[in-house]
Amino acid sequence: MALDSIEDVLFPGVDVELERVTAGSDLVLVEAAACGPAVRCPDCGIRGRRVHSTYWRTMAERPLAGRKLLIRLRVRRYFCDRVRCGRRTFVEQVRGLSERHLRSSSGPKEWLRAVAVELGGRAGERLCRKLSVGVGRTRLLGLLVAPDVPERAPRVLGVDEFAFRRGRTYGTLLVDVETGRVVDVLPDRTSETFAAWLREHPGAEIVCRDRASAYTRAIKEAAPDAIEVADRWHLLQNLSAAVEKTCHQHRACLRKHVEQEVPPEPPAIDLPVLQLPRTPIVERTRDRYADVHRLLEQKWTISAIARHLGLDRKTVRRFKTTSLDELLSSAREFGSSRQGLIDPFKPYLNSRFTAGCTSAQQLFREISQRGYRGSVQVVRRHVAYLREGTAEPVRADIPSPRRITSWIMRPTGTLTEREQDRLLDVRIACPDIARAYDLARCFHDLMTNCLGTLLHDWIRQAEEDAPAPVRSFAGFLRQDLAAVTAGLTLEWSSGKVEGNVNRVKTLKRAMYGRASFRLLRTRILTRP
């Protein structure tokens, strides 16, 4: 459709008459006059017939071609002819352009609200400044208005807590699990607050929750007909904690098993020569060594090289006088524990020291040929401890309880062949850990295949012969049997709720954790 004039571009569908346009280097000023029909009095609704006067309003508009755009709008002030109306005069508002007490047109309002929703106050103000929009953080935050909470709760409601201040104050997040959108935010995590919300917003048929007792009491009190669904992730987390506790309690079994298999005099190890990894610091060391020596061949001085490469003179001198292998060895040790580099070689060092070789330099050369990449100082320190008789004994290679738990809880297909072999050794060494493994894998299969109807049999088996931590976990499941069975049977879970909790954490970081509850709730509810 062809445009008749510039008015159709600047004011499409708005009852104004363009009078003048003034363009500067960084500002465009548009002067216009309202020309629509007479408006009604905002108090009594009588249409104005007599014009009292006119005056100019200045309003900000969206930028035009990278320059600020200001609108000077001439509006009419009308008399109110109704005697009983308390208002004597009133000013017309141009639909689609002006609003009462607003110093910008209606156009930028949605833009600024979107900026406030995504960035908040200070960050949004900085962005608007870059976009040539003059607006402060207070104005941006004032545009945030939390949407009305639906009168009825969603059919599938998810509930979880989040921290205002971790370890001190917490709130409650309510999510529509079917759509993944936040429904409401509560100022605390007490059962009374959640129960009151459920009474005011009936309609929840399924409630996905973690194992917090406060939420359970609120649901049974305010929505007794709703089906409670325990979150599967939290169930696995609790089972993992029970398995790890079992591994802690039976660590002595693993140590005894390993000590029976390891000979008292460990044989000398013969490791293959290790290849340096292509880490950023190793590659940077290679490149810097090449640059320094290339410039040295061109007869550059140390000071000139330092200025050219942006290095300290002592750094350039070290690259000049030190071999590349030693520099790479030092780079490989950077950021790692130097003492940890020698641990695989301690059996060899101890056996050689017992055989009469007490020279730290000789031992350093021998283990360097076998793959040691640490410094000679670490070897000297270990030899000194051997002379003093204060060296720690070589500990057996026993996997930590957390690592064993990881092997047990992860799907078998994700374990490497070595991890499967080590897990088999652990199960052979300790029958209790083996029983915990069997029960954990069985529970994982129940969850994966949605076989919640078999949960009662699993609990009975665990209560008969499981280790104490796993038996305690089974007892907790029996106390919440209906919700856990639903969690292992139905398709619903708290995954979308946890995702929104992480989004809340991101918003809190963006506001430096200083936002009030009202502002945080508004941003949570308005942000899609």
Side-chain angles (χ1 to χ4, degrees):
M1 182 177 65
L3 300 177
D4 297 333
S5 65
I6 194 173
E7 295 179 10
D8 297 324
V9 177
L10 296 178
F11 309 110
V14 180
D15 293 329
V16 296
E17 180 179 349
L18 184 65
E19 294 186 350
R20 186 168 59 179
V21 177
T22 304
S25 59
D26 57 353
L27 177 65
V28 177
L29 180 62
V30 177
E31 296 182 2
C35 61
V39 296
R40 297 181 181 274
C41 174
D43 288 350
C44 65
I46 295 298
R47 187 178 299 276
R49 296 178 181 178
R50 296 183 298 146
V51 176
H52 174 277
S53 59
T54 62
Y55 74 97
W56 292 94
R57 292 183 60 181
T58 302
M59 300 178 298
E61 215 350 319
R62 288 162 289 191
L64 179 64
R67 289 178 286 186
K68 292 182 179 179
L69 177 59
L70 291 181
I71 299 176
R72 291 195 68 210
L73 179 65
R74 189 172 67 214
V75 294
R76 294 164 290 188
R77 181 182 292 275
Y78 288 90
F79 285 105
C80 181
D81 295 328
R82 189 168 186 175
V83 178
R84 289 179 297 179
C85 181
R87 185 182 294 272
R88 290 291 175 256
T89 62
F90 59 91
V91 177
E92 66 176 334
Q93 303 297 335
V94 180
R95 185 185 302 273
L97 183 61
S98 66
E99 295 181 18
R100 192 179 181 189
H101 303 310
L102 196 62
R103 299 180 63 182
S104 64
S105 66
S106 304
K109 191 173 181 179
E110 293 302 322
W111 282 24
L112 298 179
R113 181 181 288 112
V115 171
V117 168
E118 295 296 332
L119 299 179
R122 287 185 174 87
E125 181 182 1
R126 291 194 296 268
L127 176 62
C128 290
R129 194 181 304 123
K130 294 289 185 181
L131 298 177
S132 302
V133 178
V135 63
R137 61 184 180 89
T138 305
R139 167 76 192 288
L140 288 173
L141 296 179
L143 294 174
L144 293 176
V145 179
D148 295 333
V149 179
E151 295 182 357
R152 294 186 61 83
R155 188 179 72 89
V156 184
L157 177 67
V159 55
D160 201 359
E161 64 184 23
F162 69 94
F164 293 114
R165 294 186 65 186
R166 187 173 181 180
R168 298 192 179 185
T169 56
Y170 288 83
T172 299
L173 199 66
L174 305 177
V175 179
D176 185 347
V177 177
E178 292 182 300
T179 62
R181 295 185 63 88
V182 178
V183 177
D184 202 353
V185 183
L186 305 183
D188 55 48
R189 56 177 178 178
T190 61
S191 60
E192 294 78 11
T193 302
F194 184 39
W197 190 93
L198 289 175
R199 293 191 192 97
E200 296 173 0
H201 305 83
E205 300 177 6
I206 300 174
V207 181
C208 300
R209 57 166 177 81
D210 59 10
R211 298 179 63 195
S213 58
Y215 297 145
T216 303
R217 290 196 301 270
I219 296 170
K220 294 184 182 304
E221 177 184 348
D225 296 332
I227 300 175
E228 299 181 49
V229 178
D231 181 48
R232 292 188 285 270
W233 184 87
H234 286 92
L235 293 176
L236 280 180
Q237 184 188 42
N238 296 336
L239 176 59
S240 176
V243 172
E244 184 174 353
K245 190 174 182 179
T246 302
C247 296
H248 272 290
Q249 293 177 352
H250 295 274
R251 190 165 175 79
C253 301
L254 305 180
R255 184 176 296 110
K256 180 178 179 181
H257 178 76
V258 172
E259 290 175 354
Q260 291 176 350
E261 292 185 349
V262 177
E265 290 292 338
I269 58 176
D270 190 6
L271 298 177
V273 178
L274 299 178
Q275 297 293 329
L276 284 177
R278 299 182 66 86
T279 59
I281 189 171
V282 170
E283 295 301 315
R284 185 168 67 246
T285 301
R286 293 182 189 273
D287 297 340
R288 186 169 293 173
Y289 182 87
D291 293 340
V292 169
H293 282 265
R294 175 175 53 80
L295 296 177
L296 287 173
E297 293 176 356
Q298 298 176 9
K299 308 301 182 183
W300 284 43
T301 63
I302 292 180
S303 298
I305 296 174
R307 287 193 298 270
H308 181 71
L309 298 179
L311 302 175
D312 188 84
R313 294 177 70 254
K314 290 184 288 186
T315 303
V316 176
R317 185 177 292 109
R318 183 166 64 90
F319 273 83
K320 175 184 177 181
T321 59
T322 308
S323 65
L324 178 60
D325 291 339
E326 187 173 346
L327 291 172
L328 293 176
S329 177
S330 176
R332 185 176 183 274
E333 293 177 7
F334 182 82
S336 61
S337 173
R338 296 191 175 189
Q339 190 65 32
L341 295 174
I342 202 175
D343 287 344
F345 302 92
K346 283 183 178 180
Y348 179 83
L349 293 175
N350 295 354
S351 62
R352 292 286 291 130
F353 186 87
T354 305
C357 182
T358 60
S359 171
Q361 194 67 33
Q362 175 62 28
L363 293 174
F364 171 72
R365 286 194 294 266
E366 292 180 8
I367 63 176
S368 295
Q369 294 175 0
R370 289 165 168 80
Y372 176 64
R373 288 296 179 265
S375 63
V376 65
Q377 287 82 1
V378 179
V379 179
R380 288 173 179 167
R381 188 181 302 114
H382 182 70
V383 172
Y385 291 154
L386 290 175
R387 290 195 184 101
E388 297 171 0
T390 59
E392 294 185 2
V394 179
R395 301 186 181 275
D397 185 15
I398 302 175
S400 65
R402 178 167 295 184
R403 179 168 296 182
I404 298 174
T405 304
S406 173
W407 295 340
I408 293 175
M409 300 304 298
R410 284 161 52 192
T412 306
T414 63
L415 300 179
T416 64
E417 185 176 352
R418 174 171 171 76
E419 289 173 340
Q420 294 181 15
D421 293 341
R422 300 197 68 183
L423 177 58
L424 179 60
D425 293 339
V426 170
R427 293 166 58 193
I428 294 175
C430 181
D432 286 334
I433 295 180
R435 182 56 179 160
Y437 167 84
D438 295 335
L439 290 172
R441 298 311 309 168
C442 181
F443 188 86
H444 189 276
D445 292 339
L446 294 181
M447 180 175 296
T448 303
N449 300 314
C450 297
L451 299 175
T453 55
L454 302 178
L455 177 63
H456 185 77
D457 295 336
W458 186 93
I459 294 176
R460 179 177 52 79
Q461 294 178 14
E463 290 177 340
E464 288 178 357
D465 58 356
V470 180
R471 189 164 59 249
S472 176
F473 170 74
F476 284 126
L477 295 185
R478 185 178 291 279
Q479 296 175 6
D480 199 15
L481 184 60
V484 176
T485 302
L488 300 185
T489 306
L490 302 179
E491 59 177 322
W492 309 110
S493 70
S494 298
K496 294 182 179 179
V497 185
E498 295 294 339
N500 280 286
V501 170
N502 290 333
R503 186 167 66 87
V504 171
K505 294 178 182 178
T506 303
L507 288 175
K508 287 177 60 223
R509 294 190 192 101
M511 295 186 284
Y512 303 100
R514 297 195 294 261
S516 63
F517 170 73
R518 184 195 67 82
L519 178 58
L520 181 61
R521 177 179 179 272
T522 302
R523 289 201 65 187
I524 293 173
L525 295 179
T526 54
R527 189 169 182 178

